[in-house]
């Protein structure tokens, strides 16, 4: 399974885990929707900073 | 390995494969940079439409 963990990257470059086992990622106008392999949904006021798929990592940056 | 294939989604909803075995995805101001597990780089004037990680798929939408 190729789900990934999603992290918020802050200005200092530190990462905070916001969701594990993310399957679907849908950028929307004012944020990003994450849906895990368990069907859990989370909406964050953030944008995609980068993806590192082989490492199973999604990096987000907060909009706020 | 959890690399993914990247597709451009057009207005009709059709998908065109633009890169296989993508590892790194970096959205930039005017497009998105894709880097494959082989180190191949591609820059596209596109945005991330959505990700389906368990299906190994990255969907992009063209900016132009």
């Amino acid at each position: 399974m190729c789900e990934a963990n999603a992290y918020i990257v802050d200005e200092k470059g530190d990462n905070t885990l916001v969701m594990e086992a993310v399957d679907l990622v849908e950028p929307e106008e004012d944020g990003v929707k994450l849906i895990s392999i368990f069907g859990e949904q989370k909406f964050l006021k953030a944008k995609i900073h980068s993806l590192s798929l082989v490492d199973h990592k999604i990096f987000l940056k907060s909009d706020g």
Side-chain angles (χ1 to χ4, degrees), chain A:
Chain A
M1 292 284 275
C2 284
E3 66 275 12
N5 291 337
Y7 302 86
I8 290 274
V9 184
D10 69 19
E11 319 80 59
K12 299 175 196 159
D14 293 331
N15 302 332
T16 305
L17 181 67
V18 289
M19 195 182 208
E20 292 183 300
V22 176
D23 174 17
L24 304 174
V25 180
E26 296 176 0
E28 297 183 359
E29 207 164 300
D30 53 348
V32 62
K33 189 163 74 178
L34 306 175
I35 305 173
S36 78
I37 58 169
F38 310 112
E40 187 194 356
Q41 291 200 17
K42 205 169 265 192
F43 183 84
L44 294 167
K45 288 201 173 183
K47 288 179 181 168
I48 295 173
H49 174 272
S50 60
L51 308 173
S52 183
L53 298 175
V54 171
D55 282 346
H56 297 225
K57 287 180 179 170
I58 298 165
F59 297 108
L60 305 172
K61 53 186 172 189
S62 179
D63 259 1

